[in-house]
């Protein structure tokens, strides 16, 4: 007892001594211009970097420091750091409130997707493009697909994202670009494709596009890169925004292709809205939504295939003698899309446990649409569907995302996110499908206080997908019921040395299984470095592996889409890749223009490369002489090239400024062994890239098979892409802004397509070969916009897309939209 008493007295004396030699410093960190609190700002003792804290969700921090005169270093990514002197007195509390100013350069841009934690864009080891919400709104974007059109190196062909030529057209199955919303995957569980109208764009923080293999952090579908849609949480002041828009499509310049008259002009209208606010300093609430009514620029089938004024005969009931007793008719139908989508974000910060927050996000969409994948012909049927191929779809989609996060004082962060995703497509061609995705991820990140600029990020994820659909009846049981399981463990380490060199590396171990039969375990690795060579000049290099497991659709689909048969391939193998990149990012300042010039060269090698190929794989009596599409492993392939981009802004005078986003990409996708036999068709013919591909040269002549061996470019790709957006901003009377924007896109000619199109084109009268021969110089597309702030809270804008009203098709047999003119009213309060 005496020993215990003595020990207790000594402990109390030590604690009393420590308490007498320390004091408390507390305060709040805010944004200097907006007054908004800054979450996660670093507050450290200058003389001892091991003593520090991070500001919480309300921007508050608390530190216990030795008595005496001390200096605190307060910093946050994107802000100028400050060093603040403070006198710490024994047993007392000193208050230090700090307002940080934005860094006076374009490099204030911050991204999360590259490493799953906030990083300055100049410190990254990979190529990144960032799309800000102002550009999305000013361009009159009505979906995420529209919003991404101006991203350098990214093309969206008939709703399929293509990054640096890494993938061709695949009828929506098997994406190589991972789509995320707030760091969680949003691809469907059966086909692995995005539903663009479902993705919220009305309440954006920013869109981050990472180019190159990203499988280590984001898994199988990130073979070519990722697109992360980051939504915004409320600021200190409540905000409401409503965006109303309406527009019309112009008649095409090809007179015989006009199917409407002045009483039936196709057009569209809709609205976006959101409201965000903080409630009682603990709750964050965001609600938003979108309504779209688009009656489409693709008309119904022409009158000569309609039986009478009632419509098409779709079903005839006969008596025992074969005499018709009842006939069902379907009204002629044009393409259209009507949708309603609503979403919410709800987050609560704990009032008892600092750094703890939890909540739930949700999104729901109901839509009705009709569409076809094929035109009728390239003359009067250019804007009409191929006979009987127009499909009506009623789609219901939702996701619910519960989450919990905890940020500790020592620089640690725990995140547990989950998602339940569901989509049900009810089609009128007996090819409906539904799928569920159950996703969960735990992530731990630690930024060491006593080791400068050192971060470890690790996590574990699991996903289970279930699909039930007649069109996936190509599975073992023939019942259309399939499931997919994916689990992974990952680790990434980031370290910055001497405030000049950044090095990161990571590994991921993945488990895949389909229908509990086909199981694969695969590790992938990445390594990257970034070094500051001179003032605002950064050289980066990266290497990353990729691995993509085929989707349920690629394996088991057995259907007809837009009139074309698609057959399963149960023996398809996963594809693997490795990618390397060398890039230079230079910060530039020309007068008052601040920005980045980025140059990069890239190379990606694929093994068991998967392509969606046409051939005689189907039943000879399928109406297409056995022609069908099938996903195939086509051997080894590679894509190499270079891109250059310029991103920046400048306020040259009190009344004039400019915003610029310009990019050029050259990508060379090619088969390494064009004579590799990847399949044998139902007539015994060996198929290779050489035998199944047609090239059209710039001289508009079909090249023979031998020439393809010398020019083995992969199908459905663009070798040259140019994206440019320039906006001029004028300030009138120091209050109201007028802006004029110009957008330009160039797509080089898609030289390589399936040879079968040339074989069957005369039979079906599509006119695809003639159209390609007449449009073999590439496509130039121009957009214009202008806006005016009528008051502080009201803005009126006019947006014209495809100003020249060019007739063009980014893929064969599907024409793009003619000129559209849109009026947009934005109200904010």
């Amino acid at each position: 007892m005496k020993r215990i008493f003595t020990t207790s007295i000594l402990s109390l004396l030590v604690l009393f001594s420590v308490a007498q030699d320390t004091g408390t410093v507390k305060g709040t960190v805010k944004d200097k211009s907006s007054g908004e609190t800054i979450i996660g700002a670093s507050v450290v003792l200058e003389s001892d970097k091991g003593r520090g804290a991070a500001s919480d969700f309300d921007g508050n921090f608390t530190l216990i420091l030795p008595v005496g005169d001390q200096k605190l270093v307060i910093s946050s990514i994107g802000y100028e750091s400050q060093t603040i002197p403070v006198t710490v007195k024994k047993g007392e509390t000193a208050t230090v409130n700090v307002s940080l100013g934005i860094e006076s350069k374009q490099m204030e841009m911050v991204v999360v997707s590259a490493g799953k934690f906030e990083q300055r864009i100049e410190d990254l080891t990979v190529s990144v493009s960032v799309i800000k919400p102002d550009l999305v709104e000013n361009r009159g974007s009505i979906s995420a697909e529209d919003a991404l059109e101006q991203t350098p190196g990214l093309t969206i062909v008939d709703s399929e994202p293509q990054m640096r030529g890494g993938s061709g057209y695949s009828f929506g199955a098997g994406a190589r670009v991972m789509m995320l919303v707030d760091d969680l995957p949003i691809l469907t569980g059966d086909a692995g494709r995005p539903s663009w109208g479902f993705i919220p764009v009305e309440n954006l923080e920013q869109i981050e596009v990472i180019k190159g293999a990203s499988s280590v952090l984001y898994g199988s579908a990130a073979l070519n890169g990722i697109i992360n849609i980051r939504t915004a949480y409320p600021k200190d002041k409540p905000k409401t925004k409503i965006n109303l828009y309406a527009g019309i499509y112009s008649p095409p310049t090809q007179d015989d292709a006009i199917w409407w008259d002045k009483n039936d002009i196709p057009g569209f209208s809709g609205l976006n809205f959101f409201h965000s606010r903080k409630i009682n300093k603990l709750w964050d609430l965001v609600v938003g939504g979108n309504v779209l009514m688009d009656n489409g620029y693709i008309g119904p089938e022409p009158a000569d295939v309609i039986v009478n004024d009632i419509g098409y005969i779709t079903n005839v009931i006969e008596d025992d003698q074969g005499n018709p007793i009842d006939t069902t008719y379907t009204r002629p139908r044009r393409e259209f899309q009507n949708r309603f989508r609503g979403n919410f974000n709800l987050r609560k910060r704990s009032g008892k446990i600092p750094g703890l927050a939890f909540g739930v996000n949700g999104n729901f969409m109901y839509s009705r649409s009709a569409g076809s994948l094929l035109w009728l012909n390239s003359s009067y049927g250019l804007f009409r569907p191929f006979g009987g191929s127009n499909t009506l779809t009623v789609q219901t989609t939702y996701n619910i995302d519960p989450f919990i996060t905890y940020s500790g004082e020592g620089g640690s962060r725990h995140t547990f996110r989950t998602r339940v995703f569901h989509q049900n497509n009810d089609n009128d061609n007996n090819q409906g499908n539904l799928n569920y995705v159950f996703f969960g991820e735990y992530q731990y990140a630690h930024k060491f206080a006593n080791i400068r600029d050192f971060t470890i990020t690790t996590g574990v994820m699991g996903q289970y997908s279930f699909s039930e659909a007649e069109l996936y009846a190509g599975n073992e049981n023939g019942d259309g019921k399939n499931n997919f399981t994916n689990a992974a463990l990952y680790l990434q380490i980031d370290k910055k040395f001497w405030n000049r060199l950044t090095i990161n590396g990571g590994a991921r171990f993945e488990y895949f299984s389909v229908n509990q039969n086909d199981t694969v375990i695969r590790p992938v690795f990445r390594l990257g470095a970034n070094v500051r060579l001179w003032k605002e000049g950064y050289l980066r290099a990266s290497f990353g592996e990729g691995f993509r497991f085929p989707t349920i659709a690629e394996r088991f689909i057995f259907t007809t889409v837009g009139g074309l048969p698609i057959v399963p391939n149960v023996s398809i193998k996963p594809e693997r890749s490795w990618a390397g990149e060398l890039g230079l990012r230079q910060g530039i300042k020309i007068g008052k223009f601040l920005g980045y010039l980025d140059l990069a060269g890239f190379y990606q090698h694929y093994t068991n490369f998967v392509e969606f190929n046409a051939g005689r794989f189907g039943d000879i009596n399928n109406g297409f002489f056995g022609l069908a599409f099938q996903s195939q492993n086509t051997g080894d392939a590679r894509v190499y090239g270079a891109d250059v981009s310029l991103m920046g802004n400048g306020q040259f005078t009190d009344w004039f400024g400019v915003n610029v986003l310009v990019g050029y990409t050259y990508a060379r996708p090619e088969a390494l062994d064009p004579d590799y036999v990847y399949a044998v068709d139902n007539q015994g013919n060996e198929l290779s890239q050489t035998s199944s591909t047609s090239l059209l040269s710039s001289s508009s002549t079909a090249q023979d098979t031998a020439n393809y061996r010398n020019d083995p470019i992969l199908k459905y790709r663009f070798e040259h892409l140019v994206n440019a957006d320039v906006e001029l901003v004028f300030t009138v009377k120091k209050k109201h802004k007028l802006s004029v924007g110009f957008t330009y896109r160039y797509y080089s000619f898609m030289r390589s397509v399936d040879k079968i199109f040339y074989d069957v084109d005369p039979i079906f009268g599509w006119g695809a070969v003639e159209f390609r021969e007449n449009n073999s110089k590439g496509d130039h597309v121009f957009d214009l916009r202008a806006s005016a702030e009528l008051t502080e809270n009201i803005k009126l804008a006019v947006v014209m897309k495809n100003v020249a009203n060019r007739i063009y098709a980014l893929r064969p047999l599907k024409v793009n939209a003619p000129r559209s003119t849109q009026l947009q009213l934005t109200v904010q309060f």
Side-chain angles (χ1 to χ4, degrees):
M1 289 294 295
K2 181 178 180 181
R3 185 175 300 173
I4 294 174
F5 177 78
T6 303
T7 302
S8 300
I9 292 296
L10 289 174
S11 298
L12 289 173
L13 289 173
V14 169
L15 290 174
F16 179 77
S17 176
V18 170
Q20 292 300 304
D21 292 333
T22 62
T24 301
V25 178
K26 67 177 183 179
T28 303
V29 185
K30 293 186 176 183
D31 183 294
K32 186 176 182 179
S33 59
S34 68
E36 304 284 349
T37 57
I38 299 175
I39 302 172
S42 172
V43 184
V44 297
L45 187 63
E46 185 182 52
S47 60
D48 181 3
K49 294 298 194 300
R51 289 179 178 264
S55 60
D56 62 19
F57 288 103
D58 297 313
N60 298 324
F61 68 91
T62 302
L63 275 173
I64 306 298
L65 298 177
V67 298
D69 293 334
Q70 307 288 357
K71 289 184 179 180
L72 297 179
V73 179
I74 299 97
S75 62
S76 184
I77 292 179
Y79 292 88
E80 297 279 4
S81 62
Q82 286 192 30
T83 301
I84 306 294
V86 60
T87 300
V88 182
K89 297 181 179 180
K90 294 182 180 181
E92 296 185 9
T93 299
T95 300
V96 176
N97 294 322
V98 183
S99 295
L100 298 181
I102 298 291
E103 289 182 323
S104 57
K105 52 185 178 179
Q106 176 70 17
M107 282 71 79
E108 70 194 38
M109 197 169 292
V110 176
V111 298
V112 172
S113 305
K116 291 205 171 187
F117 67 96
E118 284 194 347
Q119 296 172 277
R120 289 183 174 91
I121 196 169
E122 66 266 29
D123 291 333
L124 301 180
T125 62
V126 294
S127 289
V128 179
S129 292
V130 177
I131 308 297
K132 290 294 187 178
D134 287 346
L135 178 60
V136 176
E137 178 183 308
N138 294 344
R139 292 194 66 249
S141 301
I142 61 177
S143 72
E145 184 177 4
D146 289 339
L148 288 162
E149 274 188 330
Q150 288 309 117
T151 307
L154 176 67
T155 310
I156 300 177
V157 179
D158 203 10
S159 297
E160 295 186 12
Q162 300 181 3
M163 194 89 75
R164 287 175 167 174
S167 57
Y169 183 68
S170 61
F171 280 82
R176 292 191 180 98
V177 177
M178 171 63 81
M179 290 291 305
L180 306 165
V181 174
D182 292 327
D183 302 321
L184 293 177
I186 201 69
L187 300 176
T188 59
D190 49 7
R193 67 175 300 173
S195 181
W196 294 104
F198 180 66
I199 298 173
V201 293
E202 57 272 5
N203 180 37
L204 280 180
E205 181 73 29
Q206 62 187 28
I207 302 176
E208 299 172 2
V209 180
I210 311 296
K211 305 168 192 176
S214 302
S215 293
V216 167
L217 286 178
Y218 293 99
S220 175
L223 200 67
N224 293 152
I226 68 165
I227 300 171
N228 191 5
I229 312 291
R230 292 178 57 199
T231 60
Y233 271 102
K235 307 299 183 184
D236 288 342
K237 295 181 180 179
K239 183 178 180 180
T240 301
K241 180 179 283 190
I242 301 172
N243 184 4
L244 301 164
Y245 56 87
I248 60 171
Y249 297 103
S250 298
T253 54
Q254 186 173 311
D255 291 340
D256 62 351
I258 302 173
W259 56 267
W260 65 82
D261 57 36
K262 63 181 180 180
N263 297 319
D264 188 25
I265 299 175
F268 54 93
S269 61
L271 67 90
N272 298 320
F273 67 93
F274 80 89
H275 173 75
S276 66
R277 67 185 304 120
K278 290 185 176 181
I279 303 173
N280 297 330
K281 296 185 178 181
L282 295 178
W283 291 88
D284 293 334
L285 174 65
V286 180
V287 293
N290 166 258
V291 177
L292 173 68
M293 294 174 286
D294 186 345
N295 62 2
Y297 59 89
I298 301 295
E301 295 179 17
D304 57 3
V305 300
I306 299 176
V307 176
N308 52 38
D309 291 338
I310 299 176
Y312 313 96
I313 294 178
T314 56
N315 188 39
V316 178
I317 300 177
E318 300 176 342
D319 59 19
D320 295 339
Q321 287 74 38
N323 300 313
I325 58 176
D326 190 18
T327 304
T328 302
Y329 295 91
T330 300
R331 294 290 299 172
R333 183 173 56 220
R334 67 184 356 164
E335 284 195 6
F336 72 91
Q337 181 181 16
N338 298 327
R339 71 168 181 255
F340 168 78
R341 177 175 47 75
N343 61 83
F344 68 90
N345 294 354
L346 182 64
R347 180 174 68 180
K348 185 179 188 299
R349 296 180 293 279
S350 173
K352 297 181 179 180
I353 304 176
L356 178 65
F358 50 88
V360 60
N361 302 332
N363 194 9
F364 171 84
M365 182 180 75
Y366 173 83
S367 69
R368 296 181 75 253
S369 62
S372 171
L373 294 176
L374 306 174
W375 66 41
L376 180 62
N377 57 58
S378 60
S379 56
Y380 69 90
L382 191 61
F383 289 87
R384 294 180 183 273
F386 187 69
S389 66
N390 196 319
T391 301
L392 174 66
T393 300
V394 178
Q395 184 184 93
T396 305
T397 310
Y398 68 80
N399 69 267
I400 301 293
D401 308 340
F403 67 90
I404 182 170
T405 64
Y406 173 72
S407 298
E409 292 184 358
S412 63
R413 181 177 177 87
H414 302 263
T415 305
F416 180 60
R417 295 180 179 273
T418 62
R419 167 164 287 170
V420 177
F421 175 89
H422 169 69
Q423 185 173 87
N424 183 17
N425 294 301
D426 184 6
N427 298 333
D428 68 347
N429 57 359
N430 297 319
Q431 296 296 308
N433 60 90
L434 64 85
N435 70 91
Y436 288 90
V437 178
F438 302 93
F439 178 89
E441 180 181 21
Y442 166 75
Q443 181 188 118
Y444 172 74
H446 188 82
K447 187 173 184 179
F448 291 83
N450 56 347
I451 305 177
R452 186 175 182 182
D453 296 321
F454 181 44
T455 303
I456 290 180
T457 305
T458 186
V460 59
M461 62 77 63
Q463 176 176 317
Y464 177 79
S465 303
F466 172 78
S467 173
E468 183 174 354
E470 183 180 344
L471 77 164
Y472 301 137
N475 60 350
E476 299 87 344
N477 299 325
D479 58 3
K481 296 180 180 179
N482 298 280
N483 61 77
F484 173 81
T485 304
N486 176 210
L489 173 69
Y490 62 85
L491 170 70
Q492 175 158 307
I493 299 174
D494 295 79
K495 178 69 177 79
K496 193 170 186 178
F497 299 91
W498 315 297
N499 202 31
R500 177 178 294 270
L501 173 65
T502 299
I503 294 178
N504 57 36
R508 185 184 185 98
F509 294 86
E510 295 239 36
Y511 166 87
F512 300 92
S513 176
V514 173
N515 294 340
Q516 287 81 46
N517 293 325
D518 193 354
T519 300
V520 173
I521 299 176
R522 175 74 184 183
V524 291
F525 304 93
R526 72 174 295 239
L527 183 66
N530 180 306
V531 60
R532 178 165 54 85
L533 299 177
W534 49 73
K535 185 176 181 180
E536 307 305 344
Y538 301 83
L539 179 68
R540 66 178 182 274
S542 64
F543 168 85
E545 292 184 306
F547 182 82
R548 192 181 74 85
F549 199 76
T551 62
I552 290 173
E554 289 173 291
R555 287 175 174 268
F556 304 129
I557 190 168
F558 199 174
T559 186
T560 298
V561 178
L564 290 177
I566 304 176
V567 296
N569 183 358
V570 296
S571 61
I572 191 171
K573 300 176 182 178
E575 55 183 350
R576 308 191 310 272
S577 80
W578 61 266
E581 177 181 309
L582 184 65
L584 176 66
R585 185 182 293 269
Q586 176 63 55
I588 59 175
K589 182 178 181 181
I590 304 174
K592 294 187 177 181
F593 180 85
L594 302 168
Y596 274 122
L597 178 66
D598 192 276
L599 306 169
F602 54 88
Y603 182 96
Q604 188 158 9
H605 180 279
Y606 300 87
T607 301
N608 289 331
F609 193 56
V610 176
E611 288 276 72
F612 195 66
N613 293 323
R616 288 183 170 85
F617 307 121
D619 189 329
I620 195 66
N621 298 315
N622 65 5
F624 285 82
F625 307 98
L627 169 66
F629 281 87
Q630 188 179 58
S631 295
Q632 299 277 356
N633 293 110
T634 60
D636 290 358
R638 67 182 179 187
V639 180
Y640 61 89
D643 58 26
V644 56
S645 62
L646 173 66
M647 176 173 53
N649 56 70
Q651 189 67 40
F652 296 101
T653 68
D654 291 340
W655 57 271
F656 176 66
V658 62
N659 301 310
V660 175
L661 177 60
V662 179
Y664 164 74
T665 301
Y666 166 73
R668 172 69 182 180
E670 59 186 25
L672 291 179
D673 182 5
D675 292 321
Y676 171 79
V677 177
Y678 60 79
V680 178
D681 68 15
N682 55 20
Q683 297 181 358
N685 300 312
E686 293 184 339
L687 298 180
S688 65
Q689 296 282 38
T690 301
S691 66
S692 65
T693 306
S694 280
L695 283 173
L696 200 63
S697 70
S698 58
S699 60
S700 301
T701 60
Q703 295 183 345
D704 59 23
T705 299
N707 283 343
Y708 183 76
R709 294 189 178 96
N710 299 321
D711 190 15
I713 185 171
L714 296 172
K715 295 188 287 287
Y716 306 112
R717 267 84 165 180
F718 304 102
E719 292 177 87
H720 303 273
L721 288 173
V722 178
N723 305 78
D725 188 275
V726 179
E727 184 177 53
L728 308 179
V729 182
F730 304 90
T731 303
V732 181
K733 296 182 179 179
K734 298 184 178 181
K735 290 195 307 182
H736 304 304
K737 291 184 178 179
L738 304 175
S739 67
V740 177
F742 169 82
T743 294
Y744 168 71
R745 297 183 300 281
Y746 170 71
Y747 308 91
S748 64
F749 178 62
M750 184 182 286
R751 295 193 296 122
S752 178
V753 300
D754 281 296
K755 189 176 182 179
I756 198 72
F757 281 124
Y758 284 78
D759 298 335
V760 303
D761 187 64
I763 300 173
F764 295 104
W766 288 325
V769 175
E770 180 183 4
F771 186 89
R772 282 172 53 78
E773 290 176 347
N774 294 334
N775 297 272
S776 60
K777 303 297 184 183
D779 294 301
H780 304 266
V781 183
F782 301 88
D783 302 339
L784 287 175
R785 64 182 184 270
S787 66
E789 292 183 355
L790 304 181
T791 69
E792 185 178 352
N793 300 321
I794 299 176
K795 182 170 70 174
L796 185 65
V798 177
V799 181
M800 184 177 291
K801 297 182 179 180
N802 191 6
V803 173
N805 204 14
R806 181 175 180 81
I807 293 178
Y808 69 106
L810 293 186
R811 74 154 175 88
L813 302 176
K814 181 67 174 179
V815 69
N816 286 76
R819 178 175 56 232
S820 66
T821 305
Q822 173 181 336
L823 187 65
Q824 178 175 291
L825 177 66
T826 303
V827 181
Q828 178 177 312
F829 50 89

